[in-house]
Structures are given as C-alpha cells and as structure tokens.
Amino acid sequence: MVANFSCLTLSSLLLGIMAHRIVAFNMLSSDNLAVYWGQNSYGAINPDKPAHWQKTLSYYCMDNVIDTFPIAFLVDSYAGGNLPSIDLANICNSGNANYFPGTDLLNCSFLASDIEMCQSAGKAVTISLGGGTGNIQFQNDSQAAAYAQTIWNLFLGGKSKTRPFGSAILDGIDMDIEGGSQTGYVSFLTALRKHMNRGKKKYYITAAPQCPYPDAYIGNTLNAVGFDAVYVQFYNNYCGLQHYNNHNDWNFAAWDDWANNVSPNRDVKVYIGAPASSGAAGSGYVNPKRITSIIQQTQSNYSSFGGVMLWDVSDAYANHRYDTAVKQALRSGVDLLNKRIPDQYLPETRDITHDKD
C-alpha cells in the first residue's frame, strides 16, 4: 500500500515540478512556512475521522506552500540499545514497522523516497528532538558531544546500519525542548555544527522555544549557540497570539531584540509559531484574517522576522488548508515591503531547476 502511494505521489510531484520552477529553500527569507509533520495531531483528537488523519510526507509536497517540515519527534535520546527512539504516530509505528534488532529505534526506511521527493521539490526536512513528552537529556558535556556523532550518523551526513530513514539525508535538526535540564546541550550542538560545517550540503539547527522570554528549558542554549531560526510557540501561554493587542503580553519585540543583540548568529530568524486549528492547542489559535494582519504587521516591523511555524500539518489541511492562507499572507507581506524599497536595493533572486527527480 505504501509503495503504490509513493508511485502516485512521485507522478503527481513530477507534474507539479513541470508546472512551476522550483525555488531553492532560503533560510534568510522573511516568508518561510515551517509545518510540523509526524504526530497526526488532528487524528489524536478526532479518532473517528480518519479521512483527515496525517498522510505520508510526500502528500504535503505537491505545491509550493510549505517550505520546511520538521519531523516530530525523536522522543528519547537514549532508549533500547543506547540509541534514540522516534514516534511518528500513524505513519511509522510498531504496528507497521520493525525495530532495529536490540533497539527501540523504528526502521522507517520506507519514508526515504518521501523525504527525498520533498527535498527535490525545494523543501527542507529536519528531525525534531523532544516534544511535549520528550526526554532529551545528557549527564555531562562529554556524553553530549559524543551524541552529536550518533545524530550525524543516524539522520544526517554520516553512515550507520540503523538509519531510521534509510538513504535519506535530512537537512538538520530542531530542538523542541519542553522540559528537563539543559546540561550538555551547548556541547551537543557545538559538536554537531562542526559535523555540519564539514558536510557536503547546507544543514540547519532550529529550536521551538515557548514565547515567555527567556525560555526556561532552552534559553541558555539559545544564548550560547548560533541557531539558524527559532520557531517561537506563541500559543498555550499568556504571550500567545490571542493577546496580540496587549503589549504587556505579546512579546515578539523581546525575541527580535534577542536575535539582534544576544544570539551568536545575528542573522537568526524568528518565526511566529501558531496552532493550525482551534483544536491544535489549548489557546492561541486565530482565524486566517486575523493571522494575516498579525503576520504582515510583524513582517514590516521586525528585521528578524523569518516566517511562520504551524502545529501541525494534519490540522492545517483539515482546517480548510490554513497553511495556504498563512503562506498567502507571508507572500503578500513581502510584496508590500518590496513596493516600499527602490528596485536597486532589492536582493537578487533566482529560480533553480533540480537535475534529479
């Protein structure tokens, strides 16, 4: 069943590529859309409506709406066999996939073609560590630095017989840390960045902090490591999108100040993290008209603005393609900004055509 679906999606993707040229992912843009895939959020709260449950990854790469897919989640840094464990809800689980012998790590290598197809369509695909119940913990800096080799070998440019996504080489990692200690995080990410810098392609390190600044669980790490982007979760908190008009609560300005004056990477991008439906979070969801206004005002006022993150793709698709409304707002905002800037000051952009299918 998976193989047949992959054939159909490959054909559809090729037709889509023929219909419009592919634009390479650019982290420095201000209209990027990152949407989490892997947890079937809609299905978790709507078990009786399987038609809208999460589909395999390539299903969501048929158009040019979403730019980045953080795969959620790598939930435990050290599980059976001293390797991590991953949880991909209805797509790859103990019922439809095997564990690598002697480990708790699922072999989801059937997803390699999906990941590579999305990358061929100009998308970035990363692995997200943590989540609401994640256990990403290190005893000390030495253990953490060594763990960078494990992540490099399993998911990125290294080699291993236990690669969960087979031949697919992901584009980086995301740190969605919502509990525990930050011990070793700086050493882990510093060592991982060294691997990335020696790699054959561009890799990214992102994080998904809660909106209260500084974040309690990864704030110190954000101040010490050069992240490429932060997907700030403006939901389930007093500083959520529902309080945008309350200047005492809405604090994108604090994150913009962090990006410009504190982060080791002064080109780091700050995203508005938002629920993709009213059921995707306890609070923070706003309708398409409202988020369009918020996006374009923030895009205009803050130099660090990089785009929007949505949780998650199943909710977005079930909610009348909420992701499309968000992407349209982002693009329109860029168009409005460009009209205010003389042409000679606009950065040169170009479309690229990928050789591989």
Side-chain angles (χ1 to χ4, degrees):
M1 183 174 179
V2 172
N4 290 337
F5 184 79
S6 295
C7 290
L8 290 172
T9 53
L10 176 59
S11 299
S12 301
L13 182 59
L14 290 175
L15 289 173
I17 291 172
M18 293 172 64
H20 63 275
R21 289 179 295 175
I22 297 171
V23 178
F25 174 71
N26 180 7
M27 180 63 84
L28 297 180
S29 295
S30 63
D31 62 351
N32 282 326
L33 177 58
V35 185
Y36 281 85
W37 173 91
Q39 284 300 292
N40 189 29
S41 175
Y42 179 88
I45 59 175
N46 294 280
D48 58 335
K49 299 177 181 178
H52 292 297
W53 286 3
Q54 173 178 264
K55 309 296 191 299
T56 192
L57 183 61
S58 58
Y59 178 85
Y60 303 104
C61 295
M62 301 301 172
D63 54 36
N64 57 1
V65 174
I66 300 173
D67 302 291
T68 305
F69 290 95
I71 296 177
F73 287 110
L74 186 157
V75 293
D76 194 342
S77 47
Y78 295 100
N82 217 31
L83 289 179
S85 62
I86 58 175
D87 173 14
L88 302 183
N90 63 317
I91 297 299
C92 184
N93 54 61
S94 58
N96 62 14
N98 296 319
Y99 292 102
F100 288 106
T103 79
D104 293 325
L105 182 59
L106 285 165
N107 182 350
C108 307
S109 56
F110 64 86
L111 287 171
S113 59
D114 280 67
I115 292 167
E116 290 166 349
M117 287 160 57
C118 291
Q119 291 171 325
S120 294
K123 320 291 186 183
V125 184
T126 64
I127 182 70
S128 183
L129 283 62
T133 61
N135 180 35
I136 310 302
Q137 296 291 292
F138 304 112
Q139 295 178 357
N140 51 54
D141 287 341
S142 178
Q143 183 191 44
Y147 195 70
Q149 184 73 57
T150 298
I151 294 299
W152 177 255
N153 288 343
L154 294 181
F155 298 99
L156 305 175
K159 296 181 179 180
S160 173
K161 294 180 179 179
T162 55
R163 289 178 65 88
F165 304 127
S167 61
I169 300 173
L170 299 185
D171 297 297
I173 72 160
D174 173 61
M175 298 285 284
D176 182 4
I177 308 301
E178 301 184 25
S181 165
Q182 297 179 61
T183 298
Y185 284 3
V186 172
S187 294
F188 164 60
L189 294 172
T190 300
L192 186 60
R193 180 68 84 180
K194 290 180 179 178
H195 286 294
M196 292 177 168
N197 289 342
R198 293 193 293 264
K200 296 180 179 179
K201 68 173 187 176
K202 178 69 175 177
Y203 293 95
Y204 305 100
I205 297 176
T206 63
Q210 307 287 312
C211 58
Y213 179 84
D215 182 88
Y217 301 113
I218 199 169
N220 293 339
T221 307
L222 292 176
N223 294 345
V225 175
F227 284 76
D228 296 292
V230 288
Y231 307 142
V232 183
Q233 298 182 46
F234 287 102
Y235 50 92
N236 292 339
N237 268 299
Y238 70 88
C239 42
L241 286 158
Q242 76 276 18
H243 294 148
Y244 176 76
N245 286 332
N246 186 333
H247 298 300
N248 292 323
D249 291 338
W250 173 256
N251 65 344
F252 194 97
W255 287 98
D256 179 72
D257 181 73
W258 166 83
N260 289 312
N261 298 305
V262 180
S263 170
N265 175 20
R266 298 302 165 86
D267 291 323
V268 63
K269 290 298 181 180
V270 180
Y271 286 47
I272 293 175
S277 74
S278 58
S283 66
Y285 174 72
V286 293
N287 64 40
K289 182 178 180 180
R290 182 62 174 147
I291 200 167
T292 293
S293 174
I294 293 172
I295 287 169
Q296 294 180 353
Q297 290 179 49
T298 309
Q299 200 173 34
S300 175
N301 291 333
Y302 297 102
S303 61
S304 69
F305 181 84
V308 172
M309 173 275 282
L310 295 178
W311 176 268
D312 77 343
V313 72
S314 63
D315 285 301
Y317 268 61
N319 187 20
H320 310 289
R321 288 298 305 269
Y322 188 78
D323 58 308
T324 299
V326 169
K327 188 64 173 181
Q328 289 173 345
L330 288 164
R331 288 173 175 158
S332 297
V334 168
D335 290 342
L336 290 171
L337 288 173
N338 288 345
K339 288 179 181 178
R340 304 174 193 169
I341 305 173
D343 289 345
Q344 64 265 33
Y345 296 115
L346 291 176
E348 181 180 354
T349 60
R350 65 184 180 92
D351 290 338
I352 68 167
T353 301
H354 289 251
D355 293 328
K356 65 177 182 177
D357 296 334

